[in-house]
Amino acid sequence: MPLPLTLRPEGRRVVVVGGGNVATRRVHALLAAEADLVVVSPTVSARIRELAVEGRLAWIERGYRRGDLDGAWLVQTATDSPVDDQVAADAEQARVWCLKGGDPDGATAWMPAVAAVDDVHVAVSGGGDARRASTLRDAVAAALQSGDLPLRHRTHHPEGFVALVGGGPGSADLLTTRGRRLLAEADVVVVDRLAPLDVLAELPADVEVIDVGKLPDHHPVPQDEINRLLVEHARAGKVVVRLKGGDPYVLGRGGEERLACEAAGVAVEVVPGVTSAIAVPAAAGIPVTHRGVATGFSVVTAHDELGELPVSPGHTIVMLMGVRRLAESAHSLVAAGHAPGTPVAVVERGFAPDQRTTVGTLGTIADLCVQRGVRSPAVTVVGEVVRLSPDWPS
Ligand code: SAH
């Protein structure tokens, strides 16, 4: 049975015999491990030559000779010729571990396939079958990156750590890989109403979930209190994930949360998310820009009075929140010079099974929405791009 070890070759001599593809790949791995690297080969790849010029390794430009292993802790031989056998035999005699290209049976050491995330390394040995090892390694790497494996306590911040994670528009598979990984490391998760709540079900039972979900016109947990919660848990040494809907920095008060944490000396990482401002229109078949139709867009909150906005058929306006103020918003856009016939779509519950789109114009949309009982959460899109929606009557 083999014995897996983790070597620390930093500053220790490692010899690579050969200069082709396999040698080049191993050179990269050995340099990443900061080995004191010597390559012995009459010819080498362009990459090895470059590394030699940069002084990252020593290249001995000739064939292998007995004695090249003097002082080495480890040797990789990859000449694809009988020289490999010679090197292996010399290594055996000199008691140097030998990695042997294409000949696991003749080697005294095997290079595992490695999945690395942060300071965690999972090494896979396929019993000499490199392909088998790398396939399995890929699956392990994917699981580590996605947070399917509990990669906890990566982050050691003595003053505490908070990740502000954009959860996307509500569907678990629209949360980024980085966001998932941080969730898998969390001790405390502070969530919003519009965050992708399905992912919470996957968390280990000992993870504390705090719901600070805000309902429209109803703020169960004020922002100051949320900030205080983040700081308090982080300072207690917990890894805190603040899981927010969409993107943290798009009408999400992520900036305030970051500043509050920083003011308290707590380290913060902000993980972008898929914003509902773009994704929810997309879910209804509306691109916010479209060649020949719209060259830009504004994202605004309709919770308060709309500020000044570009008045142009080529500019799309995306409104978040404020479904109840739709009549006022439409009215103020018309007052500002937008044509009453400008197409409007209101998309409710984007990505949910009961997603619904209501289309009309600035002149008609408010009444239509009352008739249909349109409710929050919804994204309102104003502009010619709305005609691209399959819901627009052709
Ligand atoms: N930071 C978030 C926006 C927060 S404001 C983001 O980037 O998406 C909250 C508003 O986002 C809601 O009132 C609604 O207008 C919109 N919203 C978020 N998710 C939504 C969804 N799944 N469907 C429709 N609207 C959504």
Side-chain angles (χ1 to χ4, degrees):
M1 200 163 75
L3 174 68
L5 284 178
T6 300
L7 299 182
R8 301 174 64 202
E10 185 180 338
R12 296 187 171 82
R13 170 150 302 195
V14 176
V15 175
V16 173
V17 182
N21 280 337
V22 174
T24 305
R25 233 178 307 132
R26 292 300 160 82
V27 158
H28 280 290
L30 291 162
L31 283 180
E34 295 173 59
D36 170 18
L37 200 56
V38 178
V39 174
V40 181
S41 180
T43 58
V44 293
S45 66
R47 184 64 191 139
I48 291 180
R49 185 181 293 269
E50 215 172 88
L51 290 164
V53 169
E54 286 168 14
R56 308 268 313 273
L57 54 81
W59 172 27
I60 300 179
E61 195 176 347
R62 57 159 171 75
Y64 169 77
R65 287 185 204 148
R66 186 164 280 141
D68 284 344
L69 302 186
D70 289 352
W73 293 66
L74 181 71
V75 60
Q76 164 78 57
T77 183
T79 64
D80 202 14
S81 77
V83 173
D84 285 354
D85 297 327
Q86 183 59 51
V87 173
D90 293 348
E92 179 76 29
Q93 252 204 336
R95 302 185 185 192
V96 176
W97 297 106
C98 178
L99 298 151
K100 201 160 176 244
D103 181 18
D105 292 337
T108 51
W110 294 337
M111 185 79 95
V114 177
V117 176
D118 305 320
D119 56 352
V120 171
H121 299 88
V122 179
V124 179
S125 160
D129 181 341
R131 176 136 317 176
R132 192 174 174 208
S134 72
T135 309
L136 188 52
R137 181 269 319 278
D138 291 345
V140 171
L144 282 171
Q145 279 157 3
S146 68
D148 287 348
L149 292 176
L151 188 73
R152 293 179 72 180
H153 296 295
R154 167 192 70 122
T155 31
H156 294 288
H157 292 281
E159 301 301 323
F161 174 70
V162 172
L164 302 182
V165 174
S171 180
D173 55 359
L174 289 174
L175 169 63
T176 63
T177 304
R178 188 182 298 189
R180 269 198 175 249
R181 181 150 64 76
L182 284 161
L183 263 181
E185 290 163 21
D187 299 306
V188 179
V189 180
V190 181
V191 289
D192 270 349
R193 185 174 58 101
L194 291 174
L197 302 179
D198 285 355
V199 297
L200 300 179
E202 300 164 10
L203 297 174
D206 61 332
V207 175
E208 187 184 351
V209 176
I210 304 173
D211 187 351
V212 294
K214 298 189 192 85
L215 297 168
D217 300 332
H218 180 59
H219 294 239
V221 182
Q223 189 63 48
D224 283 350
E225 175 65 12
I226 295 174
N227 297 351
R228 203 192 56 72
L229 276 170
L230 297 178
V231 168
E232 177 188 297
H233 283 97
R235 281 209 171 141
K238 308 270 177 67
V239 172
V240 181
V241 167
R242 170 76 173 111
L243 183 64
K244 305 171 71 68
D247 184 277
Y249 282 172
V250 178
L251 300 172
R253 307 192 73 169
E256 289 165 68
E257 291 174 359
R258 191 195 90 204
L259 292 174
C261 290
E262 285 174 355
V266 169
V268 188
E269 175 176 352
V270 179
V271 180
V274 172
T275 179
S276 66
I278 298 171
V280 170
I286 304 170
V288 291
T289 70
H290 190 74
R291 198 170 170 81
V293 180
T295 53
F297 61 96
S298 298
V299 177
V300 295
T301 170
H303 188 271
D304 310 304
E305 235 162 81
L306 300 179
E308 210 169 297
L309 289 164
V311 183
S312 151
H315 192 87
T316 305
I317 294 167
V318 180
M319 302 192 283
L320 304 190
M321 301 181 272
V323 174
R324 299 226 208 117
R325 294 189 69 261
L326 191 55
E328 285 100 311
S329 299
H331 194 244
S332 78
L333 287 174
V334 172
H338 290 83
T342 307
V344 181
V346 180
V347 187
E348 296 168 88
R349 298 175 294 279
F351 298 95
D354 57 349
Q355 173 181 321
R356 180 171 72 159
T357 305
T358 302
V359 293
T361 63
L362 279 177
T364 64
I365 194 70
D367 285 347
L368 282 170
C369 285
V370 170
Q371 278 165 32
R372 305 234 300 169
V374 168
R375 288 185 300 124
S376 173
V379 172
T380 302
V381 191
V382 180
E384 294 301 319
V385 287
V386 169
R387 294 183 198 276
L388 293 158
S389 165
D391 293 291
W392 186 260
S394 45

